[in-house]
Amino acid sequence: MTLNDADALFAAHLDSLLPKAVLRPVEPRYLAEPRGRWNGRAGVLALPRNAEEVAVLVRAASAWRVPVLPYGGGTGLVGGQIMPEGPAPLVISLERMNRIRAVYPSENVLVAEAGCILADIRAAAADAGRLFPLSLAAEGSCRIGGNLATNAGGVNVLRYGNTRDLCLGLEAVLPSGQIWHGLSRLRKDNTGYDLRNLLIGSEGTLGIITAAALKLSPVPASIGTAMLAVSSPQAALDLLALAREQVGEAVSAFELIHRQGLDFLTEVLPQVRQPFHTTPEWCILIELGLSGGADAGEALERLFETGNEAGLVEDGVIARSEGQRNALWTVREHLPEANRLIGSVSSHDVSLPLSAIPDFIHRAAEAIAGIGPFRINNFGHLGDGNLHYNVFPPKGRSRAEFSEMADPVKRAVHDIVHDLGGSVSAEHGIGRLKTDDLVRYGDPVKLVAMRAIKAAIDPCGIMNPGAVLVPDQRGGAG
Amino acid sequence: MTLNDADALFAAHLDSLLPKAVLRPVEPRYLAEPRGRWNGRAGVLALPRNAEEVAVLVRAASAWRVPVLPYGGGTGLVGGQIMPEGPAPLVISLERMNRIRAVYPSENVLVAEAGCILADIRAAAADAGRLFPLSLAAEGSCRIGGNLATNAGGVNVLRYGNTRDLCLGLEAVLPSGQIWHGLSRLRKDNTGYDLRNLLIGSEGTLGIITAAALKLSPVPASIGTAMLAVSSPQAALDLLALAREQVGEAVSAFELIHRQGLDFLTEVLPQVRQPFHTTPEWCILIELGLSGGADAGEALERLFETGNEAGLVEDGVIARSEGQRNALWTVREHLPEANRLIGSVSSHDVSLPLSAIPDFIHRAAEAIAGIGPFRINNFGHLGDGNLHYNVFPPKGRSRAEFSEMADPVKRAVHDIVHDLGGSVSAEHGIGRLKTDDLVRYGDPVKLVAMRAIKAAIDPCGIMNPGAVLVPDQRGGAG
């Protein structure tokens, strides 16, 4: 179906339907994305204040066959928030819908509008003596609507699940321009198909989330953090199993770090203090959050001792203060920035069945060595099987020299991931970056079902066209 | 769309496509359901052994426009497993697909075929030193495919979630007769729409689940169970909040019991030993599962003491042995049987926002007293906001005398639930019992989306027709 530009005539039409301040001049920040891969286009920018205004915008776009691009914090890494080609879209930024509508501490529920910044939601939960566990590098600028649209992951998935698992209900505007009032605070509700989870992770291609009822958790009474040197990725996995034997679900985070990442910090961010005298080949960052009078520091001591006896842990630092905790997390959180400063040839957000990880690391390193003299920084959320597997040029050389090898590297990594039953997009989504990967590696029956659902919910194809699903050559929905 | 009987000609056609033992004579047990509300019809009964045979059956049904009724353990309480009218269906029972395909203890994953009995899955997990937490009254006969199709709940949802939350991946046959190979063991996989959660809870109307990758959990090291008399439902909620402050997520179960339920036990199941000398108006059954060297018995003592000081808990029994634990659970588990023996006028599976529960209990009791001289047994999974709110005739009189009041009672209860933001089907689903309720109380925009999805995935309407969605008068999908 052919779509039309959001042109001046369309803007004038919207202007007649909405209060003055809703339409705004398009600023450059709405046309850029963090990795600078694409330059976006926009015909009209709208900043609605409520679901009704979003509905007016979508109904008009539907009638005029104008593409709609929902915009959250703009921090997505796969280009879901950018339309570099095709008709100029109506960009709908949810940023003015940034109200926490209600907090129900006794129910462990918080209702937030889609434009709330994640850190603000975490702070509101903390003010109520609760934890909103979604936590990721961009939390100071990403917005919950985008987190939901992409089913964001982060460092606490191991214990608390993905964004999907933290959502009880949604309010959303469907492509028809109708508002679904689904802001349920219920833990159990078996009344019909799971529209909530269909919208979550659909990256703005099935509708616009305008508000969400979110699950809160108790704040663990005792939090402990350690960075432990392990002898291998398998040892790290064994240590995770040991930790779970000892403290159950209380393992909140379990992050793998390779020496390459720490060397990158030394190279480009020397101000970040590192915990080890001798940089280990592999280490993990573990965080425990215990309740019931237990002491997380003691639990980490016990884990270190038993892990050491079992030959899994060689060295380590257990934080003794909030300052030391922050220092350990600072190391972890600066790894992506160091990566950006070095400049990767190809970066991958993959997940694997836990037991396949050592095999993956071995096979991928071999395959990449066969392509070129690369440095590999492999780190990530090991507890979830989620690795950020990034490939860099040798020291002193630039990524530009290796740009032709980017595709072969990506293909080699993704082929091995797929062969081992893994995913080529663990937590970042498909966006525009991985539409080809979805076709290549996705289950064909699932793809047919996805196209049928897209055509059913968005028959004119106005919602974020070009993201997730590209038009089927054989004539399916786009 | 008109469907055809699964007649002798169709049976002969299937016979030519499949090994002999797949088609079986229709036995009466496939045509009954636990509450005896309906008598089912069946043209052909098939017991396939694998997804390929299911696919052959569904493709044939699709070509012949014959309705398909997926059949699990037959324990559903809303008639989703029974077709009392319309063309005689092809019943596909998954009971021969009862193999545990694999257990991955290091990944906390188990892969089971849809016909596995829930108790067998729990036992296989226990054999591997893990917990599969889904637990409900029918676990000795219900099958995991049915649990998934209905997103079953049970007593451990508070801590571990619904069946939906315990599933990582599915293998399923879609209405086209194609097999979706989605048996992912991944914790993070953001590659496209959430087809898994769309099938889960769709009650066989969007496809047939043939196998699932299920999440296992660590077995808590120390389990403690207590039955505590509380002064009111609000006190019960306050006690739950207190328990979570003290032990975090380690509250595995939190069940509300009203005196009426215990009186029913005395009346019709006197062999069930009750823990209290003086039967309290309200009591709760709490179970804690702790790790990390903590002692659940001590934690319960502490909860009792602080709850008593706060005026929430008046009396109580903390189990001192496995035998005592079982005795407390025996009380809880016999409540439904006592209800059946007494015979309810109307029974309701509702959920509410936690903070609305005291108001609901008050308003519903008042409304019912205005209809007739009923006895109310209100019990259930309080931690999830899920009440089994059942209404009985006065002592010595039969339900038959009050059959004309069943609808007004149901309507009164469901109206109040809806008014308070609750759900009229918390954990049992819609099936054929609650299709009218779904239309009455469901969000109309969600209903339109559900019909569009049904038409997109099952364009011929062969999958469990009449369940969940009834044909729209205005001409939607059924």
Side-chain angles (χ1 to χ4, degrees), chain B residues 26-111:
Chain B
V26 180
E27 290 171 39
R29 65 187 176 97
Y30 297 100
L31 308 177
E33 49 82 38
R35 291 186 177 160
R37 277 178 210 273
W38 295 283
N39 293 311
R41 308 175 62 221
V44 178
L45 172 67
L47 275 58
R49 292 163 308 174
N50 51 53
E52 289 71 24
E53 291 181 357
V54 176
V56 168
L57 290 162
V58 173
R59 277 199 298 274
S62 175
W64 289 55
R65 301 284 190 271
V66 162
V68 174
L69 184 63
Y71 195 89
T75 61
L77 294 171
V78 290
Q81 72 278 46
I82 288 286
M83 281 185 62
E85 53 193 23
L90 163 64
V91 176
I92 301 181
S93 170
L94 283 295
E95 67 203 76
R96 288 168 81 201
M97 293 187 62
N98 60 356
R99 210 161 46 89
I100 306 246
R101 288 196 193 157
V103 186
Y104 304 89
S106 70
E107 298 179 12
N108 282 317
V109 175
L110 179 153
V111 179

Side-chain angles (χ1 to χ4, degrees), chain A residues 332-383:
Chain A
R332 167 64 184 86
E333 282 162 2
H334 280 81
L335 295 177
E337 196 184 331
N339 284 347
R340 269 191 297 274
L341 292 170
I342 301 275
S344 75
V345 172
S346 184
S347 57
H348 315 92
D349 163 41
V350 303
S351 69
L352 292 139
L354 280 190
S355 58
I357 283 176
D359 194 20
F360 164 74
I361 292 175
H362 179 73
R363 284 174 60 181
E366 248 182 17
I368 287 166
I371 299 174
F374 298 110
R375 294 182 291 177
I376 297 167
N377 186 12
N378 176 15
F379 69 107
H381 318 297
L382 185 68

Side-chain angles (χ1 to χ4, degrees), chain A residues 95-233:
Chain A
E95 67 202 76
R96 289 168 80 202
M97 293 186 64
N98 60 356
R99 209 161 47 91
I100 306 247
R101 288 196 193 158
V103 186
Y104 304 88
S106 70
E107 298 180 12
N108 282 318
V109 175
L110 179 153
V111 179
E113 292 182 342
C116 287
I117 288 177
L118 173 54
D120 293 340
I121 294 175
R122 287 173 54 85
D127 285 347
R130 296 291 183 274
L131 173 71
F132 182 62
L134 184 65
S135 177
L136 39 88
E139 65 193 48
S141 53
C142 65
R143 297 177 191 271
I144 193 68
N147 298 143
L148 287 157
T150 58
N151 185 29
V155 296
N156 289 331
V157 173
L158 176 62
R159 180 172 189 168
Y160 298 100
N162 295 290
T163 307
R164 182 187 301 294
D165 304 301
L166 303 174
C167 178
L168 293 169
L170 292 179
E171 174 192 89
V173 175
L174 299 191
S176 61
Q178 292 181 297
I179 303 173
W180 170 40
H181 294 284
L183 276 183
S184 161
R185 284 141 55 200
L186 305 173
R187 305 280 160 165
K188 284 180 170 173
D189 181 15
N190 277 344
T191 51
Y193 302 163
D194 191 356
L195 192 57
R196 178 184 80 219
N197 278 314
L198 190 61
L199 285 173
I200 295 174
S202 68
E203 304 184 38
T205 65
L206 296 177
I208 303 181
I209 294 166
T210 54
L214 302 169
K215 269 190 220 172
L216 306 180
S217 288
V219 180
S222 174
I223 296 174
T225 308
M227 201 171 276
L228 305 176
V230 292
S231 48
S232 67

Side-chain angles (χ1 to χ4, degrees), chain B residues 149-330:
Chain B
T150 59
N151 185 29
V155 296
N156 289 331
V157 173
L158 177 62
R159 178 171 190 168
Y160 298 100
N162 295 290
T163 306
R164 183 187 301 294
D165 303 302
L166 303 173
C167 178
L168 293 169
L170 292 178
E171 175 192 88
V173 175
L174 299 190
S176 61
Q178 291 180 296
I179 303 172
W180 170 41
H181 295 284
L183 276 182
S184 161
R185 284 142 54 201
L186 305 172
R187 305 281 161 167
K188 282 181 172 173
D189 181 14
N190 277 345
T191 52
Y193 302 164
D194 190 356
L195 192 56
R196 177 184 80 218
N197 278 315
L198 190 61
L199 285 173
I200 295 174
S202 68
E203 304 185 39
T205 64
L206 296 178
I208 302 180
I209 293 166
T210 54
L214 302 169
K215 269 191 220 173
L216 305 179
S217 288
V219 180
S222 174
I223 297 174
T225 308
M227 200 171 277
L228 306 176
V230 292
S231 47
S232 67
Q234 183 61 56
L237 289 168
D238 292 346
L239 187 67
L240 173 61
L242 188 64
R244 286 175 145 174
E245 267 174 38
Q246 294 181 358
V247 300
E249 298 97 326
V251 186
S252 305
F254 198 88
E255 301 281 306
L256 182 72
I257 299 172
H258 183 248
R259 190 186 55 210
Q260 187 64 71
L262 301 175
D263 287 348
F264 280 177
L265 288 178
T266 307
E267 197 175 325
V268 296
L269 293 171
Q271 68 274 27
V272 175
R273 261 190 59 203
Q274 296 190 27
F276 296 104
H277 290 290
T278 311
T279 306
E281 179 79 6
W282 295 100
C283 66
I284 59 99
L285 178 66
I286 182 171
E287 187 156 286
L288 306 183
L290 294 171
S291 306
D295 183 278
E298 284 171 20
L300 285 170
E301 293 279 4
R302 188 156 59 102
L303 179 65
F304 179 85
E305 280 164 29
T306 49
N308 187 255
E309 281 163 23
L312 305 172
V313 183
E314 295 161 346
D315 189 6
V317 178
I318 299 176
R320 300 289 166 202
S321 66
E322 190 65 17
Q324 288 182 9
R325 263 194 70 209
N326 290 338
L328 294 182
W329 274 108
T330 296

